[in-house]
Amino acid sequence: MMSSENLDTLLRTTLLPGDTGYYELLCRRLAWWDSSRASSWSLENGYTLYHRRQHEDPDFDFEVYPPGVGPQESLFPYPYEGGYTDGTDPSIEDPPPFHAYAGHRATVFFALNRSRRHVALKAILAGSEELRILRRLQEQGVPRSMEDFHNVIPVLDLLPCEGHWLAIMPRWGTIPLEPSLESVHEVFHFIHCLLKGLTFLHDHRITHGDIKTSNILVNHVDRDFFDRSNCFRELLRSQSKLTYAFCDFNGSTMFSPSMSLDECRLPSYVSFNTLPDQVPADTSQGEFDFNPFAFDVGMLGVLFCHEFQVGQLV
């Protein structure tokens, strides 16, 4: 598919789900990923983009996959792979191996690197706060084992593209709490990982600002949305081989290391940039500003209540 639009136009067009033209914007962004320019850039930098899944149903337009790829042995920070078993319902078409969904905002696409490892490529606006944060995270280095991992998805590279940047990260799995956790130990491990990750971010004066389960990844990947019943992921979790990581810093803020925590405040309207059921009520009484570090902790507490106070382990 040819795309005459450049990355600048697509990144600077900001629409939200439900806005008029939002679906068309997603299609235009995917057309850019499909373009020969994006493919050539990727190949020149050592990446082979996933293919779009061809299907008569338009609901599949945003699904992508890497053709002809099988599972490999885990090599941190790349994830464990595989485990999907074919469905028993013949009316439901099984997705291809390592199928992924690229339609949330269509700023993230997927590829294989030269070692045939799965990576995610995220288009980042030049000069943005997100780019500053990803540079800071990249400076911390790439962990080579779970022992030196700080539970924030590592930035493998930042590469210029059409006046903006593509951040390269290992592709990890979504729906991190599926299949369901089976023990208190597994729950505590998840909680510990997120506390450790948030401490790491705050130590570097980064506030996440959008803490929710969909912004947490797990180091196992197979087929998006079909891992709810992935027995291999369940086995890995029972063997304490899974870990979890914060991702998506589009709504994050980074303060200067020279600022004291008391000086790190944001106007209260910033706290409304996420879904209302994800946030504490700290800014609901007409506050002029707020402490975003404390707010992050409150959001994490809300996540834990949503996931564990009622639900899986009742």
Side-chain angles (χ1 to χ4, degrees):
M1 182 182 296
M2 297 299 293
S3 173
S4 59
E5 295 186 272
N6 58 36
L7 194 56
D8 184 77
T9 302
L10 299 178
L11 285 178
R12 293 188 187 279
T13 304
T14 56
L15 295 173
L16 298 174
D19 290 348
T20 301
Y22 181 73
Y23 177 82
E24 289 74 14
L25 174 62
L26 296 186
C27 292
R28 287 161 51 206
R29 285 176 173 171
L30 284 174
W32 183 83
W33 289 110
D34 281 342
S35 69
S36 57
R37 300 198 320 278
S39 178
S40 296
W41 179 95
S42 300
L43 290 171
E44 289 170 4
N45 287 279
Y47 301 100
T48 303
L49 294 177
Y50 282 19
H51 292 189
R52 289 273 289 280
R53 187 178 180 188
Q54 301 300 314
H55 202 282
E56 59 186 22
D57 187 337
D59 289 341
F60 290 85
D61 282 350
F62 303 116
E63 298 186 8
V64 296
Y65 71 99
V69 176
Q72 296 192 74
E73 291 293 324
S74 173
L75 179 66
F76 204 83
Y78 299 101
Y80 292 96
E81 301 179 5
Y84 175 81
T85 54
D86 292 342
T88 57
D89 187 344
S91 66
I92 300 177
E93 181 182 350
D94 287 324
F98 302 107
H99 145 283
Y101 181 72
H104 296 293
R105 286 196 298 267
T107 54
V108 176
F109 211 75
F110 303 97
L112 298 172
N113 65 12
R114 290 188 176 96
S115 300
R116 308 293 284 174
R117 297 288 179 178
H118 299 271
V119 296
L121 291 76
K122 184 173 185 181
I124 307 294
L125 192 68
S128 65
E129 183 76 347
E130 185 174 16
L131 179 62
R132 292 180 60 240
I133 290 170
L134 293 176
R135 286 196 188 283
R136 173 69 63 82
L137 295 177
Q138 184 188 26
E139 291 169 358
Q140 310 313 308
V142 177
R144 298 302 177 187
S145 70
M146 287 177 58
E147 286 69 31
D148 63 352
F149 181 51
H150 297 288
N151 299 96
V152 175
I153 196 71
V155 180
L156 304 175
D157 210 345
L158 282 166
L159 299 172
C161 180
E162 295 190 8
H164 297 283
W165 296 82
L166 293 188
I168 316 297
M169 295 161 279
R171 179 193 167 190
W172 281 23
T174 57
I175 53 171
L177 296 176
E178 299 288 349
S180 298
L181 279 62
E182 297 293 335
S183 69
V184 173
H185 171 77
E186 292 176 359
V187 172
F188 281 178
H189 177 64
F190 177 79
I191 291 173
H192 178 262
C193 287
L194 297 200
L195 290 172
K196 182 179 175 183
L198 193 61
T199 298
F200 176 79
L201 291 174
H202 287 185
D203 283 347
H204 290 86
R205 289 294 195 271
I206 297 168
T207 62
H208 191 282
D210 192 17
I211 295 175
K212 54 189 176 184
T213 308
S214 58
N215 279 338
I216 308 299
L217 299 175
V218 60
N219 63 327
H220 167 263
V221 67
D222 197 337
R223 292 155 170 84
D224 257 359
F225 307 132
F226 288 82
D227 287 324
R228 298 182 189 277
S229 57
N230 191 300
C231 294
F232 183 48
R233 179 180 291 188
E234 196 170 33
L235 175 64
L236 291 169
R237 181 179 283 123
S238 70
Q239 297 173 339
S240 300
K241 292 182 177 179
L242 292 187
T243 191
Y244 306 91
F246 284 101
C247 68
D248 192 357
F249 300 95
N250 185 54
S252 302
T253 303
M254 183 169 66
F255 295 90
S256 168
S258 63
M259 294 178 66
S260 71
L261 289 179
D262 290 338
E263 297 176 292
C264 298
R265 315 260 323 162
L266 291 174
S268 59
Y269 66 80
V270 175
S271 69
F272 306 139
N273 291 339
T274 186
L275 298 177
D277 63 348
Q278 297 167 196
V279 299
D282 296 29
T283 55
S284 300
Q285 295 82 35
E287 288 82 359
F288 178 71
D289 60 9
F290 72 105
N291 180 331
F293 295 99
F295 200 77
D296 268 0
V297 175
M299 292 184 77
L300 190 57
V302 170
L303 184 157
F304 292 153
C305 286
H306 282 177
E307 297 293 353
F308 304 126
Q309 184 170 312
V310 292
Q312 298 175 27
L313 296 179
V314 174

